[in-house]
Amino acid sequence: MDDEILDQSMLVVYQLVSWIASVAIIFGGVVPYIPQYRDIRRTQNAEGFSTYVCLVLLVANILRILFRFGRYFETPLLWQSIIMIITMLIMLNLCTNVRVATELNTKRRSFTDCKDEEIKVPKRLFVEFDWNYFWSWSRFVDYLQCVVAFTVLTAYVTYLLLDSVLFVESLGFLAVFTEAMLGTPQLYCNYQNKSTEGMSIKMVLMWTSGDTFKTGYFLLTQAPMQFWICGLLQVCVDIAILFQVYYYSHYPQKPISHTTHTTSAKAL
């Protein structure tokens, strides 16, 4: 009798831990972007956040969803991809609105002596297919058009080659490898700016903790090999960004006057 009670208790604990882990996997990936979203809304300055982070995550999660048609993996990972796609679209919408508003305010200041002249912000559209402005469009709908076009194209190719084991495995590797490169746009953005100002440190810390937890989850649930290998790579990139935070805060590469904004608070 005691053994049955113990077994039932262990089963309940196991189910509870599994449920908590599943919820953490589904929603844990979007938590790091909450402080970044709030910082951008508060300061109306999106320069410190690279929108290419959104591009990387959109591509990675779309490919991961398609990968599941060829090789099954845990359902929480599927929901994680869906929630992440929605989150990245919300981030893109905010960043686009802030950037357009900033450009408009700049033009207003430059036309102070010409009040009769109409103020216009140059429109950069997806349908123009100008690679000089790729992922720097003026409307959120252009980003949506690009995402939909990419999804339809990759879904069609996946449908045609779904019976190919080599293609399916390559698709899975490409999906998780793209996600593993998540931090590289931010890493490069920080390197170009010679500063981490405007980037949410909380976001990067949550990236690191989340990626560590996620990699452990992949190992424990025996997810496909591509998942945990690229998870380890992702943790390494997060650590490199944290090193940038330390380095640029202790060894500033720019004059202080360059990083002062009248409408934004410092991130560090």
mmCIF file of all heavy atoms in Angstrom, residues 149-191:
data_model
loop_
_atom_site.group_PDB
_atom_site.id
_atom_site.type_symbol
_atom_site.label_atom_id
_atom_site.label_comp_id
_atom_site.label_asym_id
_atom_site.label_seq_id
_atom_site.Cartn_x
_atom_site.Cartn_y
_atom_site.Cartn_z
ATOM 1 N N ALA A 149 5.500 35.452 -47.814
ATOM 2 C CA ALA A 149 6.138 34.950 -49.034
ATOM 3 C C ALA A 149 7.162 33.862 -48.707
ATOM 4 O O ALA A 149 7.215 32.822 -49.381
ATOM 5 C CB ALA A 149 6.799 36.103 -49.786
ATOM 6 N N PHE A 150 7.961 34.092 -47.668
ATOM 7 C CA PHE A 150 8.959 33.097 -47.265
ATOM 8 C C PHE A 150 8.296 31.809 -46.794
ATOM 9 O O PHE A 150 8.737 30.704 -47.139
ATOM 10 C CB PHE A 150 9.842 33.676 -46.161
ATOM 11 C CG PHE A 150 10.819 32.690 -45.586
ATOM 12 C CD1 PHE A 150 11.987 32.374 -46.267
ATOM 13 C CD2 PHE A 150 10.574 32.057 -44.374
ATOM 14 C CE1 PHE A 150 12.890 31.449 -45.752
ATOM 15 C CE2 PHE A 150 11.463 31.142 -43.854
ATOM 16 C CZ PHE A 150 12.625 30.838 -44.549
ATOM 17 N N THR A 151 7.210 31.943 -46.020
ATOM 18 C CA THR A 151 6.505 30.774 -45.496
ATOM 19 C C THR A 151 5.905 29.942 -46.625
ATOM 20 O O THR A 151 6.031 28.707 -46.639
ATOM 21 C CB THR A 151 5.396 31.212 -44.521
ATOM 22 O OG1 THR A 151 5.967 31.995 -43.471
ATOM 23 C CG2 THR A 151 4.702 30.008 -43.922
ATOM 24 N N VAL A 152 5.260 30.600 -47.570
ATOM 25 C CA VAL A 152 4.633 29.886 -48.692
ATOM 26 C C VAL A 152 5.686 29.171 -49.531
ATOM 27 O O VAL A 152 5.526 27.998 -49.902
ATOM 28 C CB VAL A 152 3.818 30.861 -49.565
ATOM 29 C CG1 VAL A 152 3.342 30.180 -50.842
ATOM 30 C CG2 VAL A 152 2.620 31.397 -48.785
ATOM 31 N N LEU A 153 6.794 29.845 -49.817
ATOM 32 C CA LEU A 153 7.848 29.259 -50.645
ATOM 33 C C LEU A 153 8.474 28.035 -49.968
ATOM 34 O O LEU A 153 8.619 26.965 -50.579
ATOM 35 C CB LEU A 153 8.916 30.302 -50.943
ATOM 36 C CG LEU A 153 10.127 29.826 -51.766
ATOM 37 C CD1 LEU A 153 9.675 29.339 -53.133
ATOM 38 C CD2 LEU A 153 11.158 30.938 -51.893
ATOM 39 N N THR A 154 8.852 28.188 -48.692
ATOM 40 C CA THR A 154 9.495 27.072 -47.983
ATOM 41 C C THR A 154 8.520 25.925 -47.735
ATOM 42 O O THR A 154 8.921 24.756 -47.761
ATOM 43 C CB THR A 154 10.089 27.553 -46.648
ATOM 44 O OG1 THR A 154 9.083 28.278 -45.904
ATOM 45 C CG2 THR A 154 11.282 28.458 -46.871
ATOM 46 N N ALA A 155 7.244 26.249 -47.496
ATOM 47 C CA ALA A 155 6.246 25.194 -47.304
ATOM 48 C C ALA A 155 6.058 24.398 -48.588
ATOM 49 O O ALA A 155 5.917 23.157 -48.552
ATOM 50 C CB ALA A 155 4.918 25.805 -46.868
ATOM 51 N N TYR A 156 6.088 25.058 -49.724
ATOM 52 C CA TYR A 156 5.934 24.373 -51.010
ATOM 53 C C TYR A 156 7.126 23.447 -51.282
ATOM 54 O O TYR A 156 6.948 22.289 -51.679
ATOM 55 C CB TYR A 156 5.788 25.401 -52.132
ATOM 56 C CG TYR A 156 5.646 24.795 -53.508
ATOM 57 C CD1 TYR A 156 4.501 24.078 -53.859
ATOM 58 C CD2 TYR A 156 6.654 24.932 -54.455
ATOM 59 C CE1 TYR A 156 4.363 23.507 -55.112
ATOM 60 C CE2 TYR A 156 6.526 24.360 -55.716
ATOM 61 C CZ TYR A 156 5.384 23.654 -56.041
ATOM 62 O OH TYR A 156 5.263 23.090 -57.282
ATOM 63 N N VAL A 157 8.327 23.945 -51.030
ATOM 64 C CA VAL A 157 9.530 23.124 -51.227
ATOM 65 C C VAL A 157 9.522 21.937 -50.262
ATOM 66 O O VAL A 157 9.873 20.804 -50.643
ATOM 67 C CB VAL A 157 10.799 23.979 -51.031
ATOM 68 C CG1 VAL A 157 12.049 23.101 -51.086
ATOM 69 C CG2 VAL A 157 10.880 25.066 -52.092
ATOM 70 N N THR A 158 9.108 22.170 -49.022
ATOM 71 C CA THR A 158 9.046 21.087 -48.037
ATOM 72 C C THR A 158 8.039 20.022 -48.461
ATOM 73 O O THR A 158 8.295 18.814 -48.318
ATOM 74 C CB THR A 158 8.665 21.654 -46.657
ATOM 75 O OG1 THR A 158 9.619 22.634 -46.261
ATOM 76 C CG2 THR A 158 8.618 20.548 -45.612
ATOM 77 N N TYR A 159 6.912 20.448 -48.978
ATOM 78 C CA TYR A 159 5.896 19.498 -49.445
ATOM 79 C C TYR A 159 6.432 18.613 -50.565
ATOM 80 O O TYR A 159 6.179 17.399 -50.597
ATOM 81 C CB TYR A 159 4.667 20.277 -49.919
ATOM 82 C CG TYR A 159 3.609 19.418 -50.565
ATOM 83 C CD1 TYR A 159 2.777 18.599 -49.795
ATOM 84 C CD2 TYR A 159 3.452 19.407 -51.955
ATOM 85 C CE1 TYR A 159 1.815 17.797 -50.391
ATOM 86 C CE2 TYR A 159 2.488 18.611 -52.554
ATOM 87 C CZ TYR A 159 1.679 17.808 -51.770
ATOM 88 O OH TYR A 159 0.724 17.010 -52.372
ATOM 89 N N LEU A 160 7.216 19.211 -51.455
ATOM 90 C CA LEU A 160 7.759 18.453 -52.582
ATOM 91 C C LEU A 160 8.835 17.453 -52.144
ATOM 92 O O LEU A 160 8.965 16.364 -52.718
ATOM 93 C CB LEU A 160 8.333 19.402 -53.631
ATOM 94 C CG LEU A 160 7.344 20.319 -54.363
ATOM 95 C CD1 LEU A 160 8.093 21.231 -55.329
ATOM 96 C CD2 LEU A 160 6.290 19.502 -55.112
ATOM 97 N N LEU A 161 9.612 17.819 -51.127
ATOM 98 C CA LEU A 161 10.772 17.005 -50.735
ATOM 99 C C LEU A 161 10.603 16.327 -49.380
ATOM 100 O O LEU A 161 11.577 15.920 -48.762
ATOM 101 C CB LEU A 161 12.026 17.886 -50.716
ATOM 102 C CG LEU A 161 12.379 18.578 -52.040
ATOM 103 C CD1 LEU A 161 13.571 19.506 -51.848
ATOM 104 C CD2 LEU A 161 12.669 17.544 -53.124
ATOM 105 N N LEU A 162 9.366 16.209 -48.926
ATOM 106 C CA LEU A 162 9.121 15.679 -47.582
ATOM 107 C C LEU A 162 9.555 14.226 -47.444
ATOM 108 O O LEU A 162 9.870 13.764 -46.337
ATOM 109 C CB LEU A 162 7.632 15.805 -47.231
ATOM 110 C CG LEU A 162 7.254 15.703 -45.746
ATOM 111 C CD1 LEU A 162 7.989 16.756 -44.922
ATOM 112 C CD2 LEU A 162 5.753 15.844 -45.576
ATOM 113 N N ASP A 163 9.594 13.490 -48.525
ATOM 114 C CA ASP A 163 9.994 12.085 -48.469
ATOM 115 C C ASP A 163 11.507 11.896 -48.431
ATOM 116 O O ASP A 163 11.988 10.781 -48.237
ATOM 117 C CB ASP A 163 9.425 11.331 -49.683
ATOM 118 C CG ASP A 163 7.912 11.249 -49.641
ATOM 119 O OD1 ASP A 163 7.362 11.265 -48.520
ATOM 120 O OD2 ASP A 163 7.281 11.183 -50.713
ATOM 121 N N SER A 164 12.248 12.972 -48.621
ATOM 122 C CA SER A 164 13.710 12.891 -48.606
ATOM 123 C C SER A 164 14.226 13.061 -47.177
ATOM 124 O O SER A 164 14.048 14.119 -46.564
ATOM 125 C CB SER A 164 14.308 13.970 -49.516
ATOM 126 O OG SER A 164 15.716 14.036 -49.351
ATOM 127 N N VAL A 165 14.860 12.015 -46.653
ATOM 128 C CA VAL A 165 15.403 12.080 -45.290
ATOM 129 C C VAL A 165 16.496 13.134 -45.200
ATOM 130 O O VAL A 165 16.585 13.875 -44.215
ATOM 131 C CB VAL A 165 15.956 10.697 -44.873
ATOM 132 C CG1 VAL A 165 16.607 10.788 -43.496
ATOM 133 C CG2 VAL A 165 14.857 9.652 -44.886
ATOM 134 N N LEU A 166 17.311 13.222 -46.236
ATOM 135 C CA LEU A 166 18.397 14.214 -46.247
ATOM 136 C C LEU A 166 17.847 15.621 -46.173
ATOM 137 O O LEU A 166 18.358 16.453 -45.411
ATOM 138 C CB LEU A 166 19.238 14.043 -47.517
ATOM 139 C CG LEU A 166 20.380 15.064 -47.699
ATOM 140 C CD1 LEU A 166 21.386 14.942 -46.556
ATOM 141 C CD2 LEU A 166 21.067 14.863 -49.054
ATOM 142 N N PHE A 167 16.782 15.893 -46.930
ATOM 143 C CA PHE A 167 16.185 17.236 -46.905
ATOM 144 C C PHE A 167 15.586 17.549 -45.538
ATOM 145 O O PHE A 167 15.781 18.639 -45.004
ATOM 146 C CB PHE A 167 15.102 17.353 -47.977
ATOM 147 C CG PHE A 167 14.319 18.641 -47.897
ATOM 148 C CD1 PHE A 167 14.846 19.823 -48.392
ATOM 149 C CD2 PHE A 167 13.073 18.677 -47.290
ATOM 150 C CE1 PHE A 167 14.139 21.018 -48.302
ATOM 151 C CE2 PHE A 167 12.354 19.858 -47.194
ATOM 152 C CZ PHE A 167 12.892 21.034 -47.700
ATOM 153 N N VAL A 168 14.862 16.581 -44.970
ATOM 154 C CA VAL A 168 14.207 16.811 -43.674
ATOM 155 C C VAL A 168 15.236 17.086 -42.588
ATOM 156 O O VAL A 168 15.095 18.016 -41.781
ATOM 157 C CB VAL A 168 13.322 15.602 -43.304
ATOM 158 C CG1 VAL A 168 12.815 15.737 -41.865
ATOM 159 C CG2 VAL A 168 12.144 15.485 -44.260
ATOM 160 N N GLU A 169 16.301 16.271 -42.550
ATOM 161 C CA GLU A 169 17.337 16.466 -41.547
ATOM 162 C C GLU A 169 18.070 17.796 -41.756
ATOM 163 O O GLU A 169 18.415 18.489 -40.800
ATOM 164 C CB GLU A 169 18.335 15.306 -41.575
ATOM 165 C CG GLU A 169 17.755 13.977 -41.145
ATOM 166 C CD GLU A 169 17.255 13.989 -39.717
ATOM 167 O OE1 GLU A 169 17.858 14.683 -38.875
ATOM 168 O OE2 GLU A 169 16.254 13.299 -39.430
ATOM 169 N N SER A 170 18.285 18.149 -43.017
ATOM 170 C CA SER A 170 18.941 19.430 -43.324
ATOM 171 C C SER A 170 18.049 20.595 -42.923
ATOM 172 O O SER A 170 18.528 21.620 -42.419
ATOM 173 C CB SER A 170 19.273 19.517 -44.818
ATOM 174 O OG SER A 170 20.156 18.482 -45.206
ATOM 175 N N LEU A 171 16.744 20.422 -43.137
ATOM 176 C CA LEU A 171 15.790 21.467 -42.746
ATOM 177 C C LEU A 171 15.812 21.680 -41.240
ATOM 178 O O LEU A 171 15.813 22.816 -40.758
ATOM 179 C CB LEU A 171 14.381 21.073 -43.208
ATOM 180 C CG LEU A 171 13.257 22.062 -42.885
ATOM 181 C CD1 LEU A 171 13.464 23.377 -43.640
ATOM 182 C CD2 LEU A 171 11.903 21.457 -43.243
ATOM 183 N N GLY A 172 15.846 20.576 -40.492
ATOM 184 C CA GLY A 172 15.900 20.685 -39.032
ATOM 185 C C GLY A 172 17.175 21.353 -38.564
ATOM 186 O O GLY A 172 17.154 22.205 -37.663
ATOM 187 N N PHE A 173 18.292 20.970 -39.179
ATOM 188 C CA PHE A 173 19.564 21.585 -38.794
ATOM 189 C C PHE A 173 19.557 23.083 -39.126
ATOM 190 O O PHE A 173 20.015 23.904 -38.328
ATOM 191 C CB PHE A 173 20.723 20.903 -39.504
ATOM 192 C CG PHE A 173 22.058 21.541 -39.215
ATOM 193 C CD1 PHE A 173 22.717 21.288 -38.020
ATOM 194 C CD2 PHE A 173 22.638 22.415 -40.124
ATOM 195 C CE1 PHE A 173 23.935 21.884 -37.739
ATOM 196 C CE2 PHE A 173 23.853 23.018 -39.849
ATOM 197 C CZ PHE A 173 24.504 22.747 -38.657
ATOM 198 N N LEU A 174 19.043 23.436 -40.318
ATOM 199 C CA LEU A 174 19.002 24.845 -40.715
ATOM 200 C C LEU A 174 18.134 25.654 -39.766
ATOM 201 O O LEU A 174 18.461 26.793 -39.418
ATOM 202 C CB LEU A 174 18.476 24.954 -42.147
ATOM 203 C CG LEU A 174 18.450 26.356 -42.763
ATOM 204 C CD1 LEU A 174 19.858 26.938 -42.832
ATOM 205 C CD2 LEU A 174 17.826 26.316 -44.153
ATOM 206 N N ALA A 175 17.017 25.055 -39.322
ATOM 207 C CA ALA A 175 16.109 25.759 -38.406
ATOM 208 C C ALA A 175 16.790 26.095 -37.091
ATOM 209 O O ALA A 175 16.780 27.240 -36.630
ATOM 210 C CB ALA A 175 14.863 24.911 -38.163
ATOM 211 N N VAL A 176 17.404 25.080 -36.454
ATOM 212 C CA VAL A 176 17.994 25.315 -35.139
ATOM 213 C C VAL A 176 19.321 26.064 -35.244
ATOM 214 O O VAL A 176 19.697 26.815 -34.334
ATOM 215 C CB VAL A 176 18.182 23.986 -34.372
ATOM 216 C CG1 VAL A 176 16.839 23.387 -34.004
ATOM 217 C CG2 VAL A 176 18.992 22.989 -35.179
ATOM 218 N N PHE A 177 20.039 25.890 -36.365
ATOM 219 C CA PHE A 177 21.282 26.642 -36.541
ATOM 220 C C PHE A 177 20.991 28.126 -36.734
ATOM 221 O O PHE A 177 21.712 28.984 -36.217
ATOM 222 C CB PHE A 177 22.065 26.107 -37.741
ATOM 223 C CG PHE A 177 23.375 26.826 -37.968
ATOM 224 C CD1 PHE A 177 24.465 26.569 -37.161
ATOM 225 C CD2 PHE A 177 23.502 27.773 -38.976
ATOM 226 C CE1 PHE A 177 25.671 27.225 -37.354
ATOM 227 C CE2 PHE A 177 24.698 28.436 -39.180
ATOM 228 C CZ PHE A 177 25.783 28.163 -38.374
ATOM 229 N N THR A 178 19.920 28.435 -37.471
ATOM 230 C CA THR A 178 19.514 29.836 -37.642
ATOM 231 C C THR A 178 19.158 30.454 -36.299
ATOM 232 O O THR A 178 19.534 31.593 -35.998
ATOM 233 C CB THR A 178 18.303 29.924 -38.589
ATOM 234 O OG1 THR A 178 18.625 29.314 -39.842
ATOM 235 C CG2 THR A 178 17.920 31.376 -38.842
ATOM 236 N N GLU A 179 18.447 29.696 -35.460
ATOM 237 C CA GLU A 179 18.104 30.196 -34.127
ATOM 238 C C GLU A 179 19.345 30.350 -33.272
ATOM 239 O O GLU A 179 19.437 31.259 -32.436
ATOM 240 C CB GLU A 179 17.112 29.261 -33.451
ATOM 241 C CG GLU A 179 16.615 29.785 -32.111
ATOM 242 C CD GLU A 179 15.550 28.895 -31.503
ATOM 243 O OE1 GLU A 179 15.207 27.875 -32.110
ATOM 244 O OE2 GLU A 179 15.075 29.243 -30.407
ATOM 245 N N ALA A 180 20.320 29.455 -33.472
ATOM 246 C CA ALA A 180 21.566 29.550 -32.711
ATOM 247 C C ALA A 180 22.317 30.834 -33.035
ATOM 248 O O ALA A 180 23.090 31.346 -32.220
ATOM 249 C CB ALA A 180 22.450 28.339 -32.991
ATOM 250 N N MET A 181 22.090 31.367 -34.230
ATOM 251 C CA MET A 181 22.719 32.615 -34.652
ATOM 252 C C MET A 181 21.922 33.842 -34.211
ATOM 253 O O MET A 181 22.178 34.960 -34.657
ATOM 254 C CB MET A 181 22.875 32.644 -36.179
ATOM 255 C CG MET A 181 23.839 31.597 -36.728
ATOM 256 S SD MET A 181 25.560 31.901 -36.209
ATOM 257 C CE MET A 181 25.732 30.721 -34.854
ATOM 258 N N LEU A 182 20.939 33.618 -33.338
ATOM 259 C CA LEU A 182 20.052 34.691 -32.880
ATOM 260 C C LEU A 182 20.807 35.910 -32.386
ATOM 261 O O LEU A 182 20.486 37.044 -32.730
ATOM 262 C CB LEU A 182 19.151 34.148 -31.758
ATOM 263 C CG LEU A 182 18.444 35.181 -30.874
ATOM 264 C CD1 LEU A 182 17.438 35.961 -31.698
ATOM 265 C CD2 LEU A 182 17.761 34.504 -29.701
ATOM 266 N N GLY A 183 21.822 35.685 -31.570
ATOM 267 C CA GLY A 183 22.520 36.806 -30.949
ATOM 268 C C GLY A 183 23.505 37.510 -31.855
ATOM 269 O O GLY A 183 23.972 38.607 -31.523
ATOM 270 N N THR A 184 23.829 36.909 -33.007
ATOM 271 C CA THR A 184 24.868 37.504 -33.857
ATOM 272 C C THR A 184 24.497 38.877 -34.425
ATOM 273 O O THR A 184 25.373 39.739 -34.518
ATOM 274 C CB THR A 184 25.262 36.542 -34.998
ATOM 275 O OG1 THR A 184 24.086 36.148 -35.724
ATOM 276 C CG2 THR A 184 25.942 35.312 -34.441
ATOM 277 N N PRO A 185 23.219 39.138 -34.828
ATOM 278 C CA PRO A 185 22.895 40.506 -35.254
ATOM 279 C C PRO A 185 23.114 41.531 -34.150
ATOM 280 O O PRO A 185 23.627 42.620 -34.388
ATOM 281 C CB PRO A 185 21.414 40.411 -35.652
ATOM 282 C CG PRO A 185 21.197 38.981 -35.972
ATOM 283 C CD PRO A 185 22.081 38.226 -35.027
ATOM 284 N N GLN A 186 22.721 41.158 -32.908
ATOM 285 C CA GLN A 186 22.928 42.074 -31.787
ATOM 286 C C GLN A 186 24.406 42.206 -31.470
ATOM 287 O O GLN A 186 24.893 43.301 -31.151
ATOM 288 C CB GLN A 186 22.174 41.561 -30.554
ATOM 289 C CG GLN A 186 22.113 42.550 -29.408
ATOM 290 C CD GLN A 186 21.304 43.787 -29.765
ATOM 291 O OE1 GLN A 186 20.141 43.697 -30.117
ATOM 292 N NE2 GLN A 186 21.937 44.953 -29.684
ATOM 293 N N LEU A 187 25.146 41.104 -31.589
ATOM 294 C CA LEU A 187 26.591 41.122 -31.379
ATOM 295 C C LEU A 187 27.271 42.066 -32.364
ATOM 296 O O LEU A 187 28.121 42.881 -31.993
ATOM 297 C CB LEU A 187 27.152 39.711 -31.533
ATOM 298 C CG LEU A 187 28.608 39.455 -31.132
ATOM 299 C CD1 LEU A 187 28.749 39.499 -29.618
ATOM 300 C CD2 LEU A 187 29.071 38.107 -31.665
ATOM 301 N N TYR A 188 26.863 41.990 -33.622
ATOM 302 C CA TYR A 188 27.442 42.839 -34.665
ATOM 303 C C TYR A 188 27.003 44.289 -34.500
ATOM 304 O O TYR A 188 27.790 45.223 -34.713
ATOM 305 C CB TYR A 188 27.032 42.323 -36.043
ATOM 306 C CG TYR A 188 27.625 43.098 -37.190
ATOM 307 C CD1 TYR A 188 28.992 43.040 -37.453
ATOM 308 C CD2 TYR A 188 26.831 43.896 -38.006
ATOM 309 C CE1 TYR A 188 29.551 43.753 -38.502
ATOM 310 C CE2 TYR A 188 27.375 44.615 -39.054
ATOM 311 C CZ TYR A 188 28.737 44.536 -39.302
ATOM 312 O OH TYR A 188 29.283 45.255 -40.337
ATOM 313 N N CYS A 189 25.730 44.478 -34.104
ATOM 314 C CA CYS A 189 25.214 45.831 -33.874
ATOM 315 C C CYS A 189 26.010 46.518 -32.761
ATOM 316 O O CYS A 189 26.388 47.689 -32.881
ATOM 317 C CB CYS A 189 23.733 45.772 -33.523
ATOM 318 S SG CYS A 189 22.949 47.371 -33.210
ATOM 319 N N ASN A 190 26.275 45.793 -31.683
ATOM 320 C CA ASN A 190 27.076 46.343 -30.585
ATOM 321 C C ASN A 190 28.493 46.667 -31.046
ATOM 322 O O ASN A 190 29.075 47.681 -30.651
ATOM 323 C CB ASN A 190 27.131 45.352 -29.423
ATOM 324 C CG ASN A 190 25.773 45.097 -28.807
ATOM 325 O OD1 ASN A 190 24.849 45.891 -28.972
ATOM 326 N ND2 ASN A 190 25.635 43.986 -28.114
ATOM 327 N N TYR A 191 29.059 45.786 -31.881
ATOM 328 C CA TYR A 191 30.419 45.994 -32.381
ATOM 329 C C TYR A 191 30.477 47.241 -33.265
ATOM 330 O O TYR A 191 31.429 48.027 -33.186
ATOM 331 C CB TYR A 191 30.879 44.766 -33.164
ATOM 332 C CG TYR A 191 32.216 44.939 -33.838
ATOM 333 C CD1 TYR A 191 33.403 44.897 -33.119
ATOM 334 C CD2 TYR A 191 32.285 45.166 -35.211
ATOM 335 C CE1 TYR A 191 34.635 45.069 -33.735
ATOM 336 C CE2 TYR A 191 33.510 45.335 -35.847
ATOM 337 C CZ TYR A 191 34.680 45.285 -35.109
ATOM 338 O OH TYR A 191 35.899 45.465 -35.729
#
